[in-house]
Amino acid sequence: MTAPAPRILLLQARGDALTQAEELAEFVAFSGLDRSQFTVLNGFECPDFAPSCIQGFDALFIGGSSDATVLKPQVYPFVPPAMALILACIEQDIPVLASCFGFQLAVQALGGEVIVDRDRMEMGTYAMYLIPEGEQDPLFQGCPNPFLAISGHQERALRLPQGAILLAYSERCPYHAFRLAGKPFYGFQFHPEVNDRDLIARITRYCDRYHLDGHALARLKDSAQPTPHANRLIQRFVEVVLGYSRVESQKILREMA
């Protein structure tokens, strides 16, 4: 029998309402869950929160951010509480799926190191390469090697924390996906919640932030490609880590009717 429908706390670090709503819709769509199963905690709106806020939830999802950096906690006061929340979830074996900014939060919180590296900045669609541990990981079952994913970052992990098992990398970024040994934790530097349509909308909105002129923006739009295997990872997390299948749950409910 499938597990009960999970309740997800989505931690966001979004400074504008449009992108916040867009990101929530992406996680809902690619998780296969209902909007009613998500509760949002936005660090810009609520910068001071305790790790106990995870109580009553079955998992923590963490999104990206073009508005904040983990390297300036004095400027973004929600960074230390977010790290404490991640550590509390890991200690309590509460599943965590961390994307981009969430990936960097986890790296810093667990004792790794994040740096600014604009020379290796990624913005667009990139090939992700699975190492043997990634090929054997259940989340990546059926995933080609390489596979395409959306990535947008000017900061990256220089060193993964102890206990992190590297799963995937790109030609420009050596650490793109990892899990924690013995823990229900997955981190992705790329965006499993973003597809090519989302990418075009996002970079158009944030082109000034990333210093993209008209020609660069046009090139990014032209090079955008579908990323179905990366997007599938969120639903795989729900199925494999949370043990929940919406299709199976609906089938059981129909049989019980």
Side-chain angles (χ1 to χ4, degrees):
M1 181 175 292
T2 188
R7 295 157 296 177
I8 310 297
L9 178 64
L10 173 60
L11 177 62
Q12 295 190 290
R14 297 293 183 182
D16 69 279
L18 180 57
T19 307
Q20 181 182 357
E22 184 180 78
E23 182 179 68
L24 171 60
E26 292 163 351
F27 275 109
V28 171
F30 289 122
S31 67
L33 301 175
D34 292 320
R35 169 63 182 89
S36 61
Q37 292 170 251
F38 284 80
T39 297
V40 171
L41 172 60
N42 188 358
F44 277 97
E45 297 170 356
C46 181
D48 187 17
F49 49 90
S52 59
C53 68
I54 194 62
Q55 298 308 311
F57 293 97
D58 300 295
L60 172 68
F61 286 10
I62 311 172
S65 181
S66 296
D67 306 304
T69 170
V70 302
L71 299 178
K72 295 182 178 180
Q74 71 279 11
V75 178
Y76 304 103
F78 53 83
V79 166
M83 291 183 181
L85 175 58
I86 290 171
L87 294 176
C89 287
I90 293 170
E91 182 180 355
Q92 299 172 46
D93 288 326
I94 297 172
V96 178
L97 185 155
S99 167
C100 196
F101 180 74
F103 173 101
Q104 295 168 3
L105 278 170
V107 168
Q108 289 283 94
L110 291 163
E113 184 177 359
V114 172
I115 61 169
V116 177
D117 188 355
R118 293 187 176 88
D119 290 337
R120 294 192 180 187
M121 170 182 167
E122 291 181 327
M123 181 60 63
T125 309
Y126 296 86
M128 300 292 159
Y129 298 88
L130 295 169
I131 68 170
E133 288 80 359
E135 292 181 316
Q136 298 163 13
D137 191 273
L139 252 63
F140 291 93
Q141 183 179 2
C143 189
N145 191 11
F147 64 95
L148 294 178
I150 303 300
S151 181
H153 62 95
Q154 301 181 74
E155 299 169 357
R156 66 175 182 87
L158 177 66
R159 175 173 50 86
L160 290 182
Q162 185 175 1
I165 298 172
L166 179 65
L167 304 173
Y169 66 95
S170 73
E171 291 182 355
R172 298 179 65 85
C173 182
Y175 305 119
H176 252 292
F178 75 92
R179 64 178 176 86
L180 285 181
K183 294 291 182 178
F185 177 98
Y186 282 84
F188 305 100
Q189 177 60 76
F190 62 86
H191 285 275
E193 79 283 5
V194 176
N195 62 16
D196 54 326
R197 295 185 302 276
D198 300 326
L199 168 67
I200 292 171
R202 194 77 53 81
I203 62 175
T204 300
R205 189 179 311 136
Y206 285 161
C207 60
D208 292 339
R209 229 172 273 196
Y210 287 99
H211 309 291
L212 300 174
D213 59 23
H215 294 295
L217 183 59
R219 286 196 300 271
L220 279 172
K221 289 181 177 181
D222 291 341
S223 64
Q225 299 179 61
T227 55
H229 298 288
N231 300 140
R232 169 69 173 153
L233 290 170
I234 301 177
Q235 188 170 346
R236 288 292 297 165
F237 181 90
V238 170
E239 294 170 349
V240 173
V241 179
L242 303 186
Y244 176 75
S245 168
R246 184 176 182 180
V247 172
E248 183 65 23
S249 179
Q250 291 173 337
K251 177 183 177 183
I252 291 171
L253 290 174
R254 285 196 301 268
E255 292 173 349
M256 293 173 61

